[in-house]
Amino acid sequence: MRPKTFRGGIHPQYGKEMTCHLGIETLPAPEQVVLPMAQHAGAPAEPLVKAGDTVDLGQKIGEAKGFVSVPVHASISGKVLSVGPVSLPNGNVSVAVTIENDGEDRVFPELKAPGDYRQLTPERLRELMREAGLAGMGGASFPTHVKYNPPEGKRIDTVVLNGAECEPFLTCDHRLMVEDAEKVVTGLKALMRAGGAEKGIIAVEVNKADAIKALEKAIAGDPQLSVAPLATKYPQGEEKMIIRAALGRIVPSGGLPIDVGVVVNNVATAAAFADYLATGMPLISRVVTVTGRGVKQPKNLLVRLGTPIQKLLEACGGFAEEPGKVIVGGPMTGPAVYHLDFPVVKGTSGILVQSRAEVAGGESMACIRCGRCVKVCPYSLLPNFLAEFAEQGNLDQAEAYGIMDCRECGCCTFVCPSRRPLMQLIRNAKGKILARRRKSG
Ligand code: SF4
Ligand code: SF4
């Protein structure tokens, strides 16, 4: 049977062979962590501590503010050095709590394992997702509990776990599925119970045959669960694409997965939920792929949140040569960073170091109307026109051509022979449209 997929998309150089076979190594906790209060989409958490306070491992140090928000927890025990602004790789500024490690890893005494999900009510499970600080670990970092509280009149029938990991070079989810398949499956079952879903699907690209095998073994013939093998294609892991491929359902323009009865979570989010239920330890660490031709020894590392990316690079032997670009996340969607003090946060899936030769490009030129960008856009948009409208400042026309449906996958930029910065232009225009909407109320 042909693996399932969607229309459009691209086949970039995947580069996953550098790390897909490497087991997850645990990076020792650093001397200091920096924990931003805005590690998730929605309202930043509000700090609960001040400089001079002593905190324990897993202690809540930032309280969720509002419904679309999650708490932040201490990833080491030690002394709070400061509470103040830091810049984030996406260009935003967030208040962050900086903690100096006392080396004791003293666990917060009030942490208690919630226990077997089957003994907990769906309502309690939804509360626990929030208490665990769960926000999507695939990169978007949307608070998990919000997805499990659908609006009036909508219901969840299927939970899809996203194990596609379609971004080139990243293998953190792949390794997690291979090494911790049972935990992923337990997390899926707990999520299904929380949402009242009858069906759970783990969607994985076929280039991860060992992960598919491990997951199939872990679901052990459970009739409610299945593994959906998907074609290896970018952006297969994008929410709407994965739903279309795994279930054949189409999320309407401007709509959400819940409009077709589905919630999509990353496999790492499911595993973190299973961990929390079993141990009571909230989300304080994650697996990060450190890779690329510019790094000496690429690795998959389990790291404490708040660890500076410099520490991860040191653990991988440092730069192989003077780097061309350091990207937080994958090459298609991750932002390039210009210093190495940025901390690992809940959505940090990778650190990619590209060599100078890889980033050497040429000047952007005029559109030659080749149509390649149109052919690859998974949303059937006209990226060439959208970018033109963006350059002209013609926001009305851009909106009329569906610019807000762009999911910023970067396929159009990737294939453009004129090296037009299509996604960047579109992203900027979207930002202006959103600002205009906010202004007009
Ligand atoms: S227009 Fe948006 S959704 Fe379409 S290919 Fe470009 S970045 Fe992706
Ligand atoms: S791929 Fe580039 S050159 Fe070709 S139509 Fe799109 S914007 Fe124009």
Side-chain angles (χ1 to χ4, degrees), residues 87-154:
S87 57
L88 302 175
N90 60 9
N92 293 341
V93 172
S94 165
V95 170
V97 173
T98 301
I99 306 169
E100 182 180 46
N101 197 347
D102 61 13
E104 292 180 23
D105 260 356
R106 193 180 47 259
V107 175
F108 188 53
E110 289 174 31
L111 294 186
K112 195 168 157 274
D116 190 333
Y117 70 89
R118 288 166 294 197
Q119 311 300 325
L120 298 163
T121 63
E123 294 72 29
R124 183 68 188 133
L125 284 165
R126 294 197 288 268
E127 282 167 17
L128 289 168
M129 284 174 193
R130 189 172 205 222
E131 280 309 295
L134 290 190
M137 293 169 76
S141 298
F142 194 76
T144 306
H145 67 276
V146 178
K147 295 185 176 183
Y148 284 85
N149 284 282
E152 198 71 24
K154 312 258 177 192

Side-chain angles (χ1 to χ4, degrees), residues 93-290:
V93 172
S94 165
V95 170
V97 173
T98 301
I99 306 169
E100 182 180 46
N101 197 347
D102 61 13
E104 292 180 23
D105 260 356
R106 193 180 47 259
V107 175
F108 188 53
E110 289 174 31
L111 294 186
K112 195 168 157 274
D116 190 333
Y117 70 89
R118 288 166 294 197
Q119 311 300 325
L120 298 163
T121 63
E123 294 72 29
R124 183 68 188 133
L125 284 165
R126 294 197 288 268
E127 282 167 17
L128 289 168
M129 284 174 193
R130 189 172 205 222
E131 280 309 295
L134 290 190
M137 293 169 76
S141 298
F142 194 76
T144 306
H145 67 276
V146 178
K147 295 185 176 183
Y148 284 85
N149 284 282
E152 198 71 24
K154 312 258 177 192
R155 80 170 278 273
I156 303 163
D157 62 61
T158 308
V159 174
V160 175
L161 283 196
N162 186 349
E165 201 168 47
C166 62
E167 265 272 359
F169 288 92
L170 303 184
T171 58
C172 52
D173 290 347
H174 182 171
R175 290 312 308 175
L176 186 72
M177 290 187 282
V178 170
E179 297 179 37
D180 256 330
E182 296 206 349
K183 201 188 279 179
V184 171
V185 170
T186 304
L188 171 59
K189 289 179 185 169
L191 291 169
M192 286 166 64
R193 183 166 168 79
E198 301 93 44
K199 209 156 107 180
I201 299 174
I202 311 174
V204 188
E205 284 189 344
V206 287
N207 62 353
K208 303 171 189 68
D210 50 355
I212 292 175
K213 201 168 154 203
L215 291 165
E216 278 174 344
K217 190 169 168 227
I219 64 178
D222 186 324
Q224 289 185 295
L225 306 181
S226 61
V227 178
L230 307 181
T232 301
K233 184 161 76 167
Y234 180 84
Q236 186 70 81
E238 201 285 315
E239 221 166 47
K240 293 186 178 181
M241 297 302 118
I242 211 165
I243 293 171
R244 186 183 298 196
L247 282 159
R249 298 183 194 172
I250 296 175
V251 180
S253 166
L256 293 169
I258 192 63
D259 295 326
V260 292
V262 181
V263 168
V264 180
N265 292 118
N266 184 262
V267 285
T269 312
F273 194 31
D275 257 341
Y276 177 67
L277 295 173
T279 66
M281 186 58 74
L283 182 53
I284 56 150
S285 62
R286 67 156 297 142
V287 184
V288 180
T289 303
V290 186

Side-chain angles (χ1 to χ4, degrees), residues 365-374 383-385 387-388 412 415-420 422:
M365 293 176 292
C367 171
I368 55 168
R369 303 275 183 238
C370 68
R372 287 189 207 175
C373 56
V374 178
N384 48 344
F385 286 146
E388 252 176 54
C412 49
V415 296
C416 177
S418 295
R419 291 186 285 272
R420 305 251 304 136
L422 300 169

Side-chain angles (χ1 to χ4, degrees), residues 261-430:
V262 181
V263 168
V264 180
N265 292 118
N266 184 262
V267 285
T269 312
F273 194 31
D275 257 341
Y276 177 67
L277 295 173
T279 66
M281 186 58 74
L283 182 53
I284 56 150
S285 62
R286 67 156 297 142
V287 184
V288 180
T289 303
V290 186
T291 188
R293 296 190 176 82
V295 72
K296 273 192 185 149
Q297 292 169 276
K299 291 183 179 185
N300 290 301
L301 294 171
L302 177 64
V303 301
R304 304 286 177 101
L305 299 181
T307 304
I309 61 175
Q310 170 77 48
K311 293 284 172 198
L312 279 67
L313 289 164
E314 283 169 13
C316 294
F319 296 130
E321 57 181 89
E322 199 188 334
K325 208 190 255 185
V326 179
I327 294 170
V328 175
M332 297 303 297
T333 55
V337 293
Y338 300 98
H339 69 77
L340 305 176
D341 295 330
F342 288 114
V344 169
V345 293
K346 293 173 184 179
T348 309
S349 46
I351 309 294
L352 172 66
V353 184
Q354 293 181 322
S355 66
R356 287 177 87 86
E358 281 175 290
V359 299
E363 291 288 296
S364 165
M365 293 176 292
C367 171
I368 55 168
R369 303 275 183 238
C370 68
R372 287 189 207 175
C373 56
V374 178
K375 203 166 158 209
V376 297
C377 178
Y379 293 93
S380 307
L381 298 171
L382 303 171
N384 48 344
F385 286 146
L386 294 177
E388 252 176 54
F389 298 143
E391 277 178 320
Q392 294 160 358
N394 192 346
L395 300 182
D396 291 335
Q397 196 72 332
E399 261 195 288
Y401 274 67
I403 197 169
M404 300 313 280
D405 281 336
C406 166
R407 304 286 288 187
E408 301 178 17
C409 66
C411 290
C412 49
T413 309
F414 184 83
V415 296
C416 177
S418 295
R419 291 186 285 272
R420 305 251 304 136
L422 300 169
M423 185 183 78
Q424 201 53 49
L425 288 164
I426 292 169
R427 182 183 276 165
N428 290 346
K430 281 173 69 184

